[in-house]
Amino acid sequence: MGKKIKIQPISVESFKPYGDILDCSGSPDKLINNNFCERYHDKALLDFQSGRAGISIFNATPRDLPYECNMLERHPDGSQAFIPMSENPFLIIVASNCVSEKPTNPLAFITNSGQGINIHKNIWHGVLTPLTHPGLFAVVDRIGPGKNLEEHYLENSLTVVLS
Amino acid sequence: MGKKIKIQPISVESFKPYGDILDCSGSPDKLINNNFCERYHDKALLDFQSGRAGISIFNATPRDLPYECNMLERHPDGSQAFIPMSENPFLIIVASNCVSEKPTNPLAFITNSGQGINIHKNIWHGVLTPLTHPGLFAVVDRIGPGKNLEEHYLENSLTVVLS
């Protein structure tokens, strides 16, 4: 068993250093379609180097808690948005890179139903971890040449717990 | 009551003239995250003129069947992808513009659970029509200057029926 980290609820403020929350909180920016539809406009900082935006579908195996995490990754060339194609909350692990280029101060968040997230370019994060079936997500990330992936295996794994 | 059109199930073949289906059918392009996740890569033809991709959230009021449709729209400057943030199928109305620039031969499709769609640039389509609560979608479309919207009010409205 590695270092324990408790899952915290996500908020705009707490998630700000790592990325954006994609949801319909607050007031809509625009009412469209004869007021039948609220538009919450341009919620994600999409940031791609030497590439372009694309939409891929990820089908991930749901995980159980406590969840053992031994690797964090980051994408130096682009942001990565995860949009759940279900109403299920999912787990997110992120870390800072204040000290050296290694991930430090890992945090675990759980989304609310109806929220996607966009992880900013070069931010350390865990792999996609749904907690419930189906683990189906639309992913908006960089399509382009090169590896765009850096992996860091943790000396001491993280054990992510609910409380 | 206008012209009746029956909803048909969506398929890659039938939807091809209008756009892309975003789902995890067929074989994954790549297994990632130690085989815990299937990646279906770059499924949408994103096509934006004088603008860039953005992610917005649409919260639409669910509609009932039969559904009366009296307007179709198109976006001359960009494609528009609709990703349901629920497992609910939703209704899509599209039309051709083979004759003049007016929408002709309207068709109605219903998605399967777990499918998003990407409507190609300048393709006539109805407004977002979920049939079930929540009508929550992530939308990947063009962010940029200008109106990027053309509306066509039908002389005879369409009545979309299940069978």
Side-chain angles (χ1 to χ4, degrees), chain A residues 33 36 38-43 52-53 55-61 63 84-87 127 134 141, chain B residues 33 36 38-43 46 52-53 55-61 63 84-87 127 134 141:
Chain A
N33 304 346
F36 274 96
E38 301 173 337
R39 182 176 176 124
Y40 298 81
H41 187 69
D42 199 17
K43 300 280 286 180
R52 59 169 175 84
I55 305 175
S56 299
I57 304 295
F58 280 21
N59 189 21
T61 306
R63 312 298 181 92
M85 295 175 74
S86 75
E87 295 171 59
V127 299
D141 65 1
Chain B
N33 304 345
F36 274 96
E38 300 173 336
R39 181 176 177 124
Y40 299 79
H41 186 70
D42 199 16
K43 299 280 287 180
L46 302 185
R52 59 169 174 84
I55 305 175
S56 299
I57 305 295
F58 280 22
N59 188 21
T61 305
R63 311 299 181 91
M85 294 174 75
S86 75
E87 295 170 58
V127 300
D141 64 2

Side-chain angles (χ1 to χ4, degrees), chain A residues 80-114:
Chain A
Q80 191 173 41
F82 295 95
I83 299 153
M85 295 175 74
S86 75
E87 295 171 59
N88 305 325
F90 60 102
L91 179 66
I92 306 156
I93 302 170
V94 287
S96 308
N97 54 2
C98 312
V99 185
S100 76
E101 283 297 305
K102 288 181 186 174
T104 54
N105 299 325
L107 295 177
F109 293 100
I110 190 154
T111 60
N112 298 297
S113 180

Side-chain angles (χ1 to χ4, degrees), chain A residues 24-35:
Chain A
C24 65
S25 60
S27 300
D29 296 286
K30 204 173 175 182
L31 287 172
I32 58 173
N33 304 346
N34 267 335
N35 298 345

Side-chain angles (χ1 to χ4, degrees), chain B residues 75-124:
Chain B
H75 307 293
D77 297 332
S79 55
Q80 190 173 42
F82 295 95
I83 299 153
M85 294 174 75
S86 75
E87 295 170 58
N88 305 325
F90 60 102
L91 178 66
I92 307 155
I93 301 169
V94 286
S96 307
N97 55 1
C98 312
V99 185
S100 77
E101 283 298 305
K102 289 183 184 172
T104 53
N105 299 326
L107 296 177
F109 293 100
I110 190 154
T111 60
N112 298 297
S113 181
Q115 289 182 324
I117 55 143
N118 179 51
I119 294 177
H120 289 166
K121 188 173 74 180
N122 222 24
I123 292 292
W124 290 108

Side-chain angles (χ1 to χ4, degrees), chain A residues 21-162:
Chain A
I21 299 178
L22 315 178
D23 67 9
C24 65
S25 60
S27 300
D29 296 286
K30 204 173 175 182
L31 287 172
I32 58 173
N33 304 346
N34 267 335
N35 298 345
F36 274 96
C37 187
E38 301 173 337
R39 182 176 176 124
Y40 298 81
H41 187 69
D42 199 17
K43 300 280 286 180
L45 177 65
L46 301 185
D47 183 5
F48 305 116
Q49 270 175 333
S50 62
R52 59 169 175 84
I55 305 175
S56 299
I57 304 295
F58 280 21
N59 189 21
T61 306
R63 312 298 181 92
D64 294 316
L65 295 176
Y67 170 67
E68 211 68 14
C69 169
N70 67 355
M71 194 272 288
L72 295 173
E73 63 181 38
R74 61 179 178 178
H75 308 293
D77 296 332
S79 55
Q80 191 173 41
F82 295 95
I83 299 153
M85 295 175 74
S86 75
E87 295 171 59
N88 305 325
F90 60 102
L91 179 66
I92 306 156
I93 302 170
V94 287
S96 308
N97 54 2
C98 312
V99 185
S100 76
E101 283 297 305
K102 288 181 186 174
T104 54
N105 299 325
L107 295 177
F109 293 100
I110 190 154
T111 60
N112 298 297
S113 180
Q115 290 182 323
I117 56 144
N118 179 50
I119 295 177
H120 289 166
K121 188 174 74 182
N122 221 25
I123 292 292
W124 290 108
H125 61 278
V127 299
L128 180 59
T129 39
L131 299 172
T132 324
H133 184 83
L136 197 65
F137 290 73
V139 175
V140 179
D141 65 1
R142 173 188 172 273
I143 309 291
K147 200 180 172 196
N148 188 26
L149 174 66
E150 200 178 326
E151 291 177 325
H152 181 86
Y153 284 84
L154 302 167
E155 277 181 40
N156 299 302
S157 66
L158 303 170
T159 305
V160 179
V161 296
L162 204 51

